[in-house]
Amino acid sequence: MEESSVVNEDAINELLKRGIKHHEAGEVAEARNVYLEILERDPQNHQALDLAGLLCMQCDELDAAADFFTSAIELDPDSGRYLCHAGTLELHLGNFEKAIEFLRKAIARDTEISESFLSLALVYRAQNETGEAITVLEDGLSHDPDNSRLLTWRGILEVDRNDLPSAAEFLHQAISADNENIEAMMHLGNVMMELDELEIAERCYVSIKERSPGDIGTRCRLSVLLKRMGKRDESIKELEAAFVAAPAESDTFNEIALMLEALGNDDDAIVAAERAVALNSGDAASFKLLARLHSKAGNVEAAKDADERAAALS
């Protein structure tokens, strides 16, 4: 009987490895099937329960995720990792008091899980308690000073406080710790644009484009930046590339229009909004957005026409 038990345990471990490999590759259906197979063989396998909970949380199946995390914690109540994941789920659900309770317990159990510090900081940020969020991240960084994600969010909190030079310092540290940290590069580029350090911003956006050529938002930001730098031809080229890369969907081009407007590029925002209504001439919201952009730009007749189209569709 002992030999059979060992064989079963080895088989379960192999399945876990396979499930995690699928999970990390974003192969949701395959990972789900493996985790369910493990739990059919061993319903008390708390690692598989936790992993299944993570998968459900990523797929926005939050009730199922809660059930899996609860079962995992019942089987291993001292696991900082399981408590962290349960707390992160409560953050997503907006249950901040429960999230704090889980995450404080997770940190008390295991200070090496950086996600616990990050999720707890995000709970406080969601409640506009920036000071508390900073304290939590500083605590996390005291245990892991080169953690790129914690440094990134430390920088983002400085953006929240409108201390852009300090934000830039933390974001530089985050990139030094992990030169593939696209999130930090994007925020640093945005900060550098605000500080009028345009060449540094350009390097950030180009680095992101090289690593993630399908990132439409970064191409739009780079286009706006190049326009500010007087590189008109390059700006047009980037914007055209962004439009080509974007799915041929009205909602996508509405989002691009709003992004370009937020970046101060109203002319190109109108171009994106025109593309949105061309893709779906039956969407009143798209025409309302186009009307507002035309009105803002002083294009009275175009704004009136778009308003009339929106009213006819409403």
Side-chain angles (χ1 to χ4, degrees), residues 28-83:
V28 173
E30 292 85 350
R32 186 193 303 271
N33 289 338
V34 174
Y35 296 152
L36 290 176
E37 182 178 346
I38 294 169
L39 292 171
E40 284 177 6
R41 298 189 188 193
D42 179 11
Q44 304 297 303
N45 191 297
H46 47 81
Q47 189 175 359
L49 287 164
D50 175 63
L51 289 165
L54 275 178
L55 193 68
C56 288
M57 184 161 62
Q58 291 162 5
C59 295
D60 207 31
E61 299 170 2
L62 303 186
D63 289 341
D67 290 340
F68 281 123
F69 290 145
T70 298
S71 297
I73 291 169
E74 286 174 353
L75 291 165
D76 188 359
D78 292 325
S79 170
R81 187 167 304 280
Y82 303 165
L83 290 164

Tab-separated table of all heavy atoms in Angstrom, residues 28-83:
chain	number	residue	atom	x	y	z
A	28	VAL	N	-5.920	28.499	-20.293
A	28	VAL	CA	-6.882	28.404	-19.191
A	28	VAL	C	-7.601	27.061	-19.173
A	28	VAL	O	-7.680	26.400	-18.122
A	28	VAL	CB	-7.901	29.562	-19.286
A	28	VAL	CG1	-9.011	29.370	-18.254
A	28	VAL	CG2	-7.204	30.892	-19.085
A	29	ALA	N	-8.147	26.643	-20.303
A	29	ALA	CA	-8.930	25.400	-20.339
A	29	ALA	C	-8.069	24.203	-19.945
A	29	ALA	O	-8.503	23.340	-19.170
A	29	ALA	CB	-9.523	25.190	-21.728
A	30	GLU	N	-6.845	24.168	-20.458
A	30	GLU	CA	-5.952	23.051	-20.151
A	30	GLU	C	-5.597	23.026	-18.671
A	30	GLU	O	-5.602	21.965	-18.026
A	30	GLU	CB	-4.680	23.138	-21.002
A	30	GLU	CG	-4.894	22.914	-22.487
A	30	GLU	CD	-5.317	24.175	-23.220
A	30	GLU	OE1	-5.635	25.182	-22.544
A	30	GLU	OE2	-5.329	24.146	-24.463
A	31	ALA	N	-5.292	24.201	-18.109
A	31	ALA	CA	-4.957	24.274	-16.682
A	31	ALA	C	-6.147	23.860	-15.830
A	31	ALA	O	-6.002	23.089	-14.867
A	31	ALA	CB	-4.518	25.696	-16.319
A	32	ARG	N	-7.326	24.334	-16.196
A	32	ARG	CA	-8.537	23.984	-15.444
A	32	ARG	C	-8.745	22.472	-15.430
A	32	ARG	O	-9.028	21.882	-14.376
A	32	ARG	CB	-9.747	24.684	-16.070
A	32	ARG	CG	-11.038	24.513	-15.272
A	32	ARG	CD	-12.239	24.945	-16.105
A	32	ARG	NE	-12.132	26.305	-16.567
A	32	ARG	CZ	-12.569	27.361	-15.893
A	32	ARG	NH1	-13.141	27.187	-14.714
A	32	ARG	NH2	-12.455	28.576	-16.397
A	33	ASN	N	-8.587	21.839	-16.571
A	33	ASN	CA	-8.790	20.391	-16.653
A	33	ASN	C	-7.805	19.629	-15.774
A	33	ASN	O	-8.172	18.643	-15.114
A	33	ASN	CB	-8.655	19.926	-18.106
A	33	ASN	CG	-9.816	20.377	-18.967
A	33	ASN	OD1	-10.898	20.679	-18.459
A	33	ASN	ND2	-9.594	20.443	-20.276
A	34	VAL	N	-6.566	20.104	-15.753
A	34	VAL	CA	-5.558	19.427	-14.921
A	34	VAL	C	-5.887	19.591	-13.444
A	34	VAL	O	-5.827	18.620	-12.668
A	34	VAL	CB	-4.148	19.965	-15.226
A	34	VAL	CG1	-3.132	19.371	-14.254
A	34	VAL	CG2	-3.745	19.624	-16.659
A	35	TYR	N	-6.246	20.803	-13.027
A	35	TYR	CA	-6.561	21.017	-11.606
A	35	TYR	C	-7.765	20.185	-11.182
A	35	TYR	O	-7.793	19.619	-10.067
A	35	TYR	CB	-6.823	22.502	-11.335
A	35	TYR	CG	-5.630	23.399	-11.574
A	35	TYR	CD1	-5.803	24.738	-11.939
A	35	TYR	CD2	-4.321	22.936	-11.431
A	35	TYR	CE1	-4.715	25.570	-12.157
A	35	TYR	CE2	-3.227	23.753	-11.655
A	35	TYR	CZ	-3.439	25.071	-12.024
A	35	TYR	OH	-2.365	25.895	-12.245
A	36	LEU	N	-8.771	20.093	-12.055
A	36	LEU	CA	-9.946	19.290	-11.722
A	36	LEU	C	-9.593	17.799	-11.636
A	36	LEU	O	-10.119	17.074	-10.771
A	36	LEU	CB	-11.043	19.510	-12.767
A	36	LEU	CG	-11.707	20.898	-12.751
A	36	LEU	CD1	-12.705	21.022	-13.898
A	36	LEU	CD2	-12.400	21.157	-11.417
A	37	GLU	N	-8.691	17.371	-12.504
A	37	GLU	CA	-8.257	15.976	-12.442
A	37	GLU	C	-7.549	15.688	-11.122
A	37	GLU	O	-7.769	14.640	-10.493
A	37	GLU	CB	-7.319	15.663	-13.612
A	37	GLU	CG	-6.873	14.191	-13.633
A	37	GLU	CD	-5.981	13.854	-14.817
A	37	GLU	OE1	-5.905	14.666	-15.766
A	37	GLU	OE2	-5.350	12.782	-14.772
A	38	ILE	N	-6.710	16.617	-10.680
A	38	ILE	CA	-6.017	16.442	-9.394
A	38	ILE	C	-7.031	16.336	-8.266
A	38	ILE	O	-6.938	15.459	-7.393
A	38	ILE	CB	-5.051	17.622	-9.129
A	38	ILE	CG1	-3.913	17.617	-10.145
A	38	ILE	CG2	-4.490	17.545	-7.712
A	38	ILE	CD1	-3.070	18.885	-10.118
A	39	LEU	N	-8.024	17.232	-8.288
A	39	LEU	CA	-8.994	17.256	-7.195
A	39	LEU	C	-9.927	16.046	-7.235
A	39	LEU	O	-10.458	15.646	-6.200
A	39	LEU	CB	-9.799	18.569	-7.241
A	39	LEU	CG	-8.955	19.809	-6.907
A	39	LEU	CD1	-9.735	21.088	-7.191
A	39	LEU	CD2	-8.501	19.769	-5.446
A	40	GLU	N	-10.128	15.469	-8.400
A	40	GLU	CA	-10.880	14.211	-8.459
A	40	GLU	C	-10.102	13.090	-7.781
A	40	GLU	O	-10.668	12.252	-7.081
A	40	GLU	CB	-11.160	13.847	-9.920
A	40	GLU	CG	-12.271	14.673	-10.554
A	40	GLU	CD	-12.469	14.319	-12.026
A	40	GLU	OE1	-11.821	13.352	-12.485
A	40	GLU	OE2	-13.259	15.008	-12.698
A	41	ARG	N	-8.790	13.092	-7.985
A	41	ARG	CA	-7.948	12.066	-7.368
A	41	ARG	C	-7.697	12.344	-5.894
A	41	ARG	O	-7.575	11.418	-5.090
A	41	ARG	CB	-6.603	11.982	-8.089
A	41	ARG	CG	-6.673	11.594	-9.557
A	41	ARG	CD	-5.266	11.333	-10.070
A	41	ARG	NE	-5.223	11.130	-11.511
A	41	ARG	CZ	-4.165	10.652	-12.147
A	41	ARG	NH1	-3.071	10.312	-11.472
A	41	ARG	NH2	-4.184	10.513	-13.457
A	42	ASP	N	-7.572	13.640	-5.561
A	42	ASP	CA	-7.210	14.020	-4.190
A	42	ASP	C	-7.961	15.295	-3.815
A	42	ASP	O	-7.452	16.405	-3.951
A	42	ASP	CB	-5.700	14.235	-4.090
A	42	ASP	CG	-5.255	14.648	-2.692
A	42	ASP	OD1	-6.086	14.558	-1.757
A	42	ASP	OD2	-4.091	15.064	-2.533
A	43	PRO	N	-9.214	15.173	-3.344
A	43	PRO	CA	-10.030	16.351	-3.010
A	43	PRO	C	-9.431	17.218	-1.912
A	43	PRO	O	-9.836	18.376	-1.749
A	43	PRO	CB	-11.359	15.734	-2.552
A	43	PRO	CG	-11.364	14.356	-3.117
A	43	PRO	CD	-9.942	13.914	-3.137
A	44	GLN	N	-8.481	16.679	-1.172
A	44	GLN	CA	-7.874	17.423	-0.068
A	44	GLN	C	-6.552	18.094	-0.476
A	44	GLN	O	-5.816	18.575	0.381
A	44	GLN	CB	-7.597	16.477	1.110
A	44	GLN	CG	-8.821	15.734	1.606
A	44	GLN	CD	-9.874	16.672	2.151
A	44	GLN	OE1	-9.608	17.451	3.055
A	44	GLN	NE2	-11.084	16.631	1.597
A	45	ASN	N	-6.274	18.146	-1.754
A	45	ASN	CA	-5.018	18.741	-2.207
A	45	ASN	C	-5.144	20.267	-2.183
A	45	ASN	O	-5.683	20.877	-3.100
A	45	ASN	CB	-4.679	18.246	-3.622
A	45	ASN	CG	-3.265	18.628	-4.024
A	45	ASN	OD1	-2.943	19.802	-4.132
A	45	ASN	ND2	-2.421	17.633	-4.242
A	46	HIS	N	-4.622	20.870	-1.113
A	46	HIS	CA	-4.833	22.308	-0.930
A	46	HIS	C	-4.078	23.147	-1.960
A	46	HIS	O	-4.496	24.250	-2.303
A	46	HIS	CB	-4.474	22.743	0.497
A	46	HIS	CG	-3.179	22.233	1.009
A	46	HIS	ND1	-1.969	22.806	0.713
A	46	HIS	CD2	-2.901	21.182	1.832
A	46	HIS	CE1	-0.997	22.159	1.323
A	46	HIS	NE2	-1.530	21.152	2.012
A	47	GLN	N	-2.973	22.625	-2.505
A	47	GLN	CA	-2.256	23.375	-3.531
A	47	GLN	C	-3.087	23.490	-4.800
A	47	GLN	O	-3.174	24.554	-5.416
A	47	GLN	CB	-0.911	22.712	-3.840
A	47	GLN	CG	-0.018	23.568	-4.737
A	47	GLN	CD	1.362	22.974	-4.940
A	47	GLN	OE1	1.685	21.912	-4.402
A	47	GLN	NE2	2.178	23.645	-5.734
A	48	ALA	N	-3.727	22.385	-5.187
A	48	ALA	CA	-4.585	22.415	-6.373
A	48	ALA	C	-5.804	23.303	-6.138
A	48	ALA	O	-6.261	24.009	-7.045
A	48	ALA	CB	-5.025	21.002	-6.744
A	49	LEU	N	-6.352	23.275	-4.916
A	49	LEU	CA	-7.485	24.139	-4.585
A	49	LEU	C	-7.103	25.610	-4.741
A	49	LEU	O	-7.850	26.415	-5.315
A	49	LEU	CB	-7.963	23.869	-3.161
A	49	LEU	CG	-8.710	22.552	-2.938
A	49	LEU	CD1	-8.776	22.221	-1.452
A	49	LEU	CD2	-10.117	22.633	-3.529
A	50	ASP	N	-5.922	25.967	-4.239
A	50	ASP	CA	-5.460	27.348	-4.334
A	50	ASP	C	-5.236	27.746	-5.790
A	50	ASP	O	-5.648	28.827	-6.226
A	50	ASP	CB	-4.160	27.517	-3.539
A	50	ASP	CG	-3.563	28.899	-3.692
A	50	ASP	OD1	-4.215	29.875	-3.269
A	50	ASP	OD2	-2.439	29.013	-4.232
A	51	LEU	N	-4.595	26.879	-6.551
A	51	LEU	CA	-4.332	27.178	-7.957
A	51	LEU	C	-5.641	27.307	-8.758
A	51	LEU	O	-5.769	28.183	-9.621
A	51	LEU	CB	-3.451	26.096	-8.568
A	51	LEU	CG	-1.995	26.093	-8.100
A	51	LEU	CD1	-1.306	24.784	-8.470
A	51	LEU	CD2	-1.242	27.279	-8.684
A	52	ALA	N	-6.587	26.439	-8.463
A	52	ALA	CA	-7.891	26.542	-9.130
A	52	ALA	C	-8.571	27.859	-8.766
A	52	ALA	O	-9.212	28.497	-9.612
A	52	ALA	CB	-8.772	25.357	-8.728
A	53	GLY	N	-8.417	28.283	-7.506
A	53	GLY	CA	-8.960	29.574	-7.091
A	53	GLY	C	-8.333	30.728	-7.844
A	53	GLY	O	-9.018	31.654	-8.290
A	54	LEU	N	-7.007	30.670	-8.013
A	54	LEU	CA	-6.314	31.715	-8.783
A	54	LEU	C	-6.825	31.774	-10.214
A	54	LEU	O	-7.059	32.857	-10.766
A	54	LEU	CB	-4.804	31.444	-8.792
A	54	LEU	CG	-3.976	31.954	-7.618
A	54	LEU	CD1	-2.517	31.542	-7.806
A	54	LEU	CD2	-4.086	33.463	-7.495
A	55	LEU	N	-6.987	30.604	-10.816
A	55	LEU	CA	-7.467	30.548	-12.196
A	55	LEU	C	-8.865	31.156	-12.296
A	55	LEU	O	-9.148	31.939	-13.210
A	55	LEU	CB	-7.469	29.105	-12.688
A	55	LEU	CG	-7.642	28.900	-14.184
A	55	LEU	CD1	-6.416	29.398	-14.940
A	55	LEU	CD2	-7.863	27.423	-14.503
A	56	CYS	N	-9.727	30.811	-11.360
A	56	CYS	CA	-11.090	31.356	-11.362
A	56	CYS	C	-11.070	32.870	-11.168
A	56	CYS	O	-11.829	33.605	-11.822
A	56	CYS	CB	-11.933	30.697	-10.273
A	56	CYS	SG	-12.370	28.987	-10.631
A	57	MET	N	-10.195	33.359	-10.283
A	57	MET	CA	-10.110	34.797	-10.053
A	57	MET	C	-9.666	35.512	-11.327
A	57	MET	O	-10.192	36.562	-11.681
A	57	MET	CB	-9.148	35.099	-8.897
A	57	MET	CG	-9.067	36.568	-8.531
A	57	MET	SD	-8.395	36.891	-6.869
A	57	MET	CE	-6.743	36.223	-7.014
A	58	GLN	N	-8.702	34.936	-12.027
A	58	GLN	CA	-8.226	35.530	-13.277
A	58	GLN	C	-9.304	35.521	-14.352
A	58	GLN	O	-9.317	36.387	-15.230
A	58	GLN	CB	-6.982	34.791	-13.760
A	58	GLN	CG	-5.768	35.020	-12.876
A	58	GLN	CD	-4.667	33.983	-13.082
A	58	GLN	OE1	-4.761	33.131	-13.959
A	58	GLN	NE2	-3.641	34.050	-12.264
A	59	CYS	N	-10.209	34.552	-14.286
A	59	CYS	CA	-11.296	34.446	-15.269
A	59	CYS	C	-12.561	35.167	-14.796
A	59	CYS	O	-13.628	35.038	-15.420
A	59	CYS	CB	-11.619	32.977	-15.547
A	59	CYS	SG	-10.270	32.070	-16.328
A	60	ASP	N	-12.442	35.907	-13.689
A	60	ASP	CA	-13.560	36.672	-13.128
A	60	ASP	C	-14.699	35.774	-12.642
A	60	ASP	O	-15.859	36.189	-12.600
A	60	ASP	CB	-14.088	37.683	-14.150
A	60	ASP	CG	-14.735	38.889	-13.485
A	60	ASP	OD1	-14.305	39.251	-12.380
A	60	ASP	OD2	-15.680	39.465	-14.059
A	61	GLU	N	-14.374	34.542	-12.269
A	61	GLU	CA	-15.347	33.634	-11.657
A	61	GLU	C	-15.136	33.704	-10.140
A	61	GLU	O	-14.582	32.810	-9.514
A	61	GLU	CB	-15.136	32.214	-12.189
A	61	GLU	CG	-15.325	32.105	-13.696
A	61	GLU	CD	-14.880	30.761	-14.260
A	61	GLU	OE1	-14.447	29.892	-13.474
A	61	GLU	OE2	-14.943	30.591	-15.495
A	62	LEU	N	-15.584	34.816	-9.556
A	62	LEU	CA	-15.158	35.169	-8.206
A	62	LEU	C	-15.791	34.303	-7.121
A	62	LEU	O	-15.156	34.013	-6.104
A	62	LEU	CB	-15.428	36.656	-7.952
A	62	LEU	CG	-14.744	37.607	-8.961
A	62	LEU	CD1	-14.937	39.053	-8.537
A	62	LEU	CD2	-13.267	37.289	-9.119
A	63	ASP	N	-17.039	33.890	-7.316
A	63	ASP	CA	-17.670	33.027	-6.314
A	63	ASP	C	-16.942	31.682	-6.230
A	63	ASP	O	-16.681	31.173	-5.129
A	63	ASP	CB	-19.146	32.798	-6.657
A	63	ASP	CG	-19.990	34.039	-6.448
A	63	ASP	OD1	-19.528	34.947	-5.717
A	63	ASP	OD2	-21.090	34.121	-7.012
A	64	ALA	N	-16.616	31.124	-7.385
A	64	ALA	CA	-15.885	29.852	-7.396
A	64	ALA	C	-14.510	30.026	-6.783
A	64	ALA	O	-14.038	29.165	-6.026
A	64	ALA	CB	-15.758	29.337	-8.836
A	65	ALA	N	-13.855	31.158	-7.071
A	65	ALA	CA	-12.535	31.422	-6.495
A	65	ALA	C	-12.607	31.458	-4.975
A	65	ALA	O	-11.756	30.882	-4.284
A	65	ALA	CB	-11.985	32.743	-7.031
A	66	ALA	N	-13.639	32.111	-4.454
A	66	ALA	CA	-13.798	32.206	-2.994
A	66	ALA	C	-13.959	30.817	-2.377
A	66	ALA	O	-13.378	30.525	-1.324
A	66	ALA	CB	-15.000	33.083	-2.661
A	67	ASP	N	-14.727	29.961	-3.021
A	67	ASP	CA	-14.926	28.603	-2.507
A	67	ASP	C	-13.608	27.826	-2.479
A	67	ASP	O	-13.289	27.149	-1.497
A	67	ASP	CB	-15.948	27.849	-3.370
A	67	ASP	CG	-17.357	28.390	-3.204
A	67	ASP	OD1	-17.615	29.059	-2.193
A	67	ASP	OD2	-18.193	28.138	-4.105
A	68	PHE	N	-12.837	27.937	-3.547
A	68	PHE	CA	-11.557	27.220	-3.607
A	68	PHE	C	-10.589	27.740	-2.541
A	68	PHE	O	-9.919	26.952	-1.862
A	68	PHE	CB	-10.931	27.371	-4.997
A	68	PHE	CG	-11.520	26.459	-6.038
A	68	PHE	CD1	-12.066	26.980	-7.210
A	68	PHE	CD2	-11.523	25.084	-5.870
A	68	PHE	CE1	-12.600	26.141	-8.176
A	68	PHE	CE2	-12.050	24.227	-6.835
A	68	PHE	CZ	-12.586	24.767	-7.988
A	69	PHE	N	-10.492	29.067	-2.386
A	69	PHE	CA	-9.565	29.630	-1.397
A	69	PHE	C	-9.978	29.247	0.023
A	69	PHE	O	-9.139	28.920	0.865
A	69	PHE	CB	-9.494	31.149	-1.529
A	69	PHE	CG	-8.811	31.639	-2.776
A	69	PHE	CD1	-9.239	32.799	-3.405
A	69	PHE	CD2	-7.747	30.941	-3.337
A	69	PHE	CE1	-8.612	33.258	-4.561
A	69	PHE	CE2	-7.120	31.391	-4.499
A	69	PHE	CZ	-7.554	32.553	-5.105
A	70	THR	N	-11.294	29.271	0.281
A	70	THR	CA	-11.791	28.893	1.607
A	70	THR	C	-11.403	27.457	1.934
A	70	THR	O	-10.935	27.158	3.044
A	70	THR	CB	-13.318	29.063	1.677
A	70	THR	OG1	-13.654	30.434	1.481
A	70	THR	CG2	-13.852	28.602	3.030
A	71	SER	N	-11.570	26.572	0.957
A	71	SER	CA	-11.221	25.163	1.174
A	71	SER	C	-9.720	24.995	1.395
A	71	SER	O	-9.290	24.222	2.258
A	71	SER	CB	-11.660	24.323	-0.033
A	71	SER	OG	-13.059	24.360	-0.194
A	72	ALA	N	-8.913	25.731	0.635
A	72	ALA	CA	-7.461	25.632	0.781
A	72	ALA	C	-7.025	26.098	2.166
A	72	ALA	O	-6.181	25.462	2.820
A	72	ALA	CB	-6.763	26.458	-0.297
A	73	ILE	N	-7.609	27.190	2.638
A	73	ILE	CA	-7.240	27.739	3.953
A	73	ILE	C	-7.694	26.801	5.073
A	73	ILE	O	-6.996	26.637	6.086
A	73	ILE	CB	-7.833	29.153	4.135
A	73	ILE	CG1	-7.129	30.125	3.181
A	73	ILE	CG2	-7.695	29.631	5.579
A	73	ILE	CD1	-7.796	31.492	3.077
A	74	GLU	N	-8.850	26.190	4.904
A	74	GLU	CA	-9.318	25.236	5.917
A	74	GLU	C	-8.340	24.077	6.072
A	74	GLU	O	-8.113	23.579	7.180
A	74	GLU	CB	-10.703	24.710	5.534
A	74	GLU	CG	-11.824	25.719	5.756
A	74	GLU	CD	-13.162	25.211	5.240
A	74	GLU	OE1	-13.177	24.127	4.597
A	74	GLU	OE2	-14.182	25.892	5.464
A	75	LEU	N	-7.734	23.663	4.962
A	75	LEU	CA	-6.784	22.547	4.999
A	75	LEU	C	-5.395	22.981	5.461
A	75	LEU	O	-4.655	22.176	6.027
A	75	LEU	CB	-6.694	21.901	3.603
A	75	LEU	CG	-7.951	21.160	3.155
A	75	LEU	CD1	-7.911	20.885	1.656
A	75	LEU	CD2	-8.097	19.843	3.923
A	76	ASP	N	-5.033	24.237	5.199
A	76	ASP	CA	-3.710	24.734	5.604
A	76	ASP	C	-3.856	26.182	6.057
A	76	ASP	O	-3.510	27.120	5.338
A	76	ASP	CB	-2.730	24.628	4.428
A	76	ASP	CG	-1.304	24.955	4.847
A	76	ASP	OD1	-1.085	25.282	6.024
A	76	ASP	OD2	-0.407	24.896	3.985
A	77	PRO	N	-4.358	26.384	7.276
A	77	PRO	CA	-4.666	27.741	7.747
A	77	PRO	C	-3.438	28.617	7.983
A	77	PRO	O	-3.577	29.837	8.139
A	77	PRO	CB	-5.428	27.497	9.063
A	77	PRO	CG	-5.027	26.127	9.487
A	77	PRO	CD	-4.774	25.356	8.241
A	78	ASP	N	-2.255	28.040	8.008
A	78	ASP	CA	-1.048	28.825	8.247
A	78	ASP	C	-0.333	29.231	6.964
A	78	ASP	O	0.751	29.821	7.019
A	78	ASP	CB	-0.074	28.039	9.137
A	78	ASP	CG	-0.606	27.875	10.550
A	78	ASP	OD1	-1.270	28.809	11.030
A	78	ASP	OD2	-0.364	26.817	11.155
A	79	SER	N	-0.915	28.934	5.819
A	79	SER	CA	-0.267	29.280	4.555
A	79	SER	C	-0.443	30.770	4.251
A	79	SER	O	-1.556	31.243	4.003
A	79	SER	CB	-0.856	28.464	3.390
A	79	SER	OG	-0.388	28.964	2.156
A	80	GLY	N	0.667	31.499	4.263
A	80	GLY	CA	0.614	32.912	3.909
A	80	GLY	C	0.158	33.117	2.476
A	80	GLY	O	-0.531	34.089	2.154
A	81	ARG	N	0.512	32.186	1.596
A	81	ARG	CA	0.143	32.313	0.187
A	81	ARG	C	-1.368	32.221	0.006
A	81	ARG	O	-1.964	33.017	-0.725
A	81	ARG	CB	0.841	31.221	-0.625
A	81	ARG	CG	0.667	31.357	-2.127
A	81	ARG	CD	1.624	30.439	-2.869
A	81	ARG	NE	3.008	30.688	-2.496
A	81	ARG	CZ	3.739	31.683	-2.980
A	81	ARG	NH1	3.215	32.522	-3.854
A	81	ARG	NH2	4.990	31.835	-2.601
A	82	TYR	N	-2.005	31.258	0.672
A	82	TYR	CA	-3.448	31.099	0.511
A	82	TYR	C	-4.191	32.299	1.107
A	82	TYR	O	-5.174	32.784	0.541
A	82	TYR	CB	-3.924	29.804	1.166
A	82	TYR	CG	-3.247	28.543	0.656
A	82	TYR	CD1	-3.345	27.339	1.352
A	82	TYR	CD2	-2.502	28.543	-0.519
A	82	TYR	CE1	-2.727	26.179	0.895
A	82	TYR	CE2	-1.871	27.400	-0.992
A	82	TYR	CZ	-1.977	26.226	-0.268
A	82	TYR	OH	-1.353	25.088	-0.724
A	83	LEU	N	-3.706	32.779	2.261
A	83	LEU	CA	-4.315	33.951	2.881
A	83	LEU	C	-4.157	35.179	1.987
A	83	LEU	O	-5.077	35.993	1.859
A	83	LEU	CB	-3.674	34.214	4.243
A	83	LEU	CG	-4.000	33.195	5.337
A	83	LEU	CD1	-3.022	33.330	6.499
A	83	LEU	CD2	-5.441	33.383	5.828
